[in-house]
Amino acid sequence: MTEQMFETVLVANRGEIAVRVIRTLRSMGVRSVAVYSDADAGARHVREADTAVRIGPAAASESYLSVERLLRAAARTGAQAVHPGYGFLAENAGFARACAEAGLVFIGPPADAIALMGDKIRAKETVKAAGVPVVPGSSGSGLTDEELAEAAREIGVPVLLKPSAGGGGKGMRLVRDASLLADEIAAARREARASFGDDTLLVERWIDRPRHIEIQVLADGHGGVVHLGERECSLQRRHQKIIEEAPSVLLDEGTRAAMGEAAVQAARSCGYRGAGTVEFIVPGNDPSSYYFMEMNTRLQVEHPVTELVTGIDLVEWQLRVAAGEPLAFGQDDVRLTGHAVEARICAEDPARGFLPSGGTVLRLREPQGDGVRTDSGLSEGTEVGSLYDPMLSKVIAYGPDRATALRRLRAALAETVTLGVQTNAGFLRRLLAHPAVVSGDMDTGLVEREAEGLVPAGVPVEVYEAAAAVRLEALRPRGDGWTDPFSVPDGWRMGGTPKPAAFHLRVTDPVEHTPRGAHTVTGDRVAVTLDGVRHTFHRAADWIGRDGDAWHVRDHDPVAASLTRAGQGGADSLTAPMPGTVTVVKVAVGDEVAAGQSLLVVEAMKMEHVISAPHAGTVTELDVAPGTTVAMDQVLAVIAPVEEETA
């Protein structure tokens, strides 16, 4: 610690990254200030900080994205510096400038570097001039829809549409059919405008079966720039990374050094300072042919894998560089030892096409221990809503080699329990056991190709057995006194053969299940034995979980369900597939629609879902408007089918 180190730092973020930054601040003896919206008043990052300031209502635009409120919070608490985390304002040049104007140190790169690298078009031109290879694509900024389409036709499909601002896969569209360009450009602009406030797009050649390799860089204010090796980020879904590792099995030492030097040159070309990441797309069959994609001017979600293989705390060095210290090591001092793999736990339901999920965390168990690290913003009682990013936590495993790291991570994901909110933990565990992942023969399309086979086809019978066992135990009389025989769930019937208790249950489709095996219900665990196999589950309320998977097993009333369907129009009803906000309504009551026609758009956790007509007909009910907040399965509209003419 130097005399220049900050006394107090405001963390302008939430969730797991805020908790992670606070951890390093505490280890360095720096006081932390958390900020929170009304939705996060009881959040973990608020409890763990030295002090916390409310900055507004739940909507991010009125809280975490409000520069004025963040600066006011810093002034009230005497903070000398602001750490932006990632997401929200982390790559906002205007925020960095506003911090400087308010006398605060922005713990990140200079505003000019953020602005330059945040504009993907200018970034490509800048690094290209510095000798860094770039992906062939459109040139110039502010292209119209037709100019983008023309550039795409000149490049030749498949092409990738990308927002010039922002990152994280938001607004990116892979187009393989030229006839769909107009629709895809419109959708990409809409997503980019909603995510980044800027709908400028560019188009790039799509490289089939590419690898996504990124290089971590650190730069100080004294001319020192080093890279800390690469991260393999090829396991993605919808252009969002879900598994990352360091180092990559694809690169040899020569390629690693060459890509590292290219990343250093990219950082130097924009006057970079602090921690940043230079991302490359690499043909899997020719690792020596790598192309610059973009530079992320912030800490990355996957930074823990680099920390584990280098032994360098990136948040600590962000603070030290921001405080004016030179790097204490050079390129020759950086060593990559062992292997680390990270899995992103997100609030989404693989069984429902990975739609965002929400709810209250009823039971939480996060793995820690030898070779395992969990970065999380969760605690029991946390409300997971639809307003913010779906990522809840990260589980990272380290080992002396890749096989050990993978094995430890699979085991850690099997130990992960998040009941009350559906997550992708079980899906990630199965993905990490896929032969292509184990062998390292990956590309950015692998997850999309294999996803269906990594999602269980149905609900295992032992899940219903466990849920029924919990309900059966709840019916048993308690106490040592006289027991009313009619209260004992033994299936006794007057003058007839006892009928075993049966329960109407539902996860997706309703079932009637009669317990048939031995079971034990103890506290938050339930064990059932079927066909000589014992199955053990965690439980909380109506939730049952094991090995990272979870099922919400609800009671089902067939009569009430039938009446509800009749009242709602049954198959004619359009319901919300996830909790979220209606952003687009394209029809009105009385409109005639075609089967498959796009009618509404629901957005949750920065993801759009298009609601289409189930059949041709007429809109007879429309219960929502743009801005309406909806619950999962809420009726949005009713489409009366076209009456067939009879001869």
Side-chain angles (χ1 to χ4, degrees), residues 80 181 292 581:
Q80 295 97 38
L181 278 167
F292 170 89
T581 302

Side-chain angles (χ1 to χ4, degrees), residues 112-132:
D112 288 346
I114 296 175
L116 174 57
M117 287 299 168
D119 182 334
K120 292 182 176 62
I121 296 168
R122 291 177 57 209
K124 284 180 64 175
E125 294 170 349
T126 300
V127 301
K128 183 177 180 180
V132 180

Side-chain angles (χ1 to χ4, degrees), residues 200-252:
T200 304
L201 301 178
L202 68 152
V203 60
E204 292 180 341
R205 175 187 297 166
W206 174 255
I207 299 174
D208 273 317
R209 298 204 171 224
R211 305 279 283 246
H212 185 140
I213 308 291
E214 62 186 30
I215 307 291
Q216 176 71 57
V217 296
L218 266 179
D220 61 27
H222 305 273
V225 185
V226 299
H227 71 84
L228 305 182
E230 81 281 2
R231 294 186 288 256
E232 170 85 56
C233 304
S234 297
L235 293 177
Q236 305 177 8
R237 199 183 62 76
R238 295 176 181 157
H239 305 296
Q240 289 274 28
K241 306 165 191 173
I242 55 177
I243 300 286
E244 303 100 340
E245 60 182 295
S248 169
V249 297
L250 183 68
L251 305 188
D252 57 27

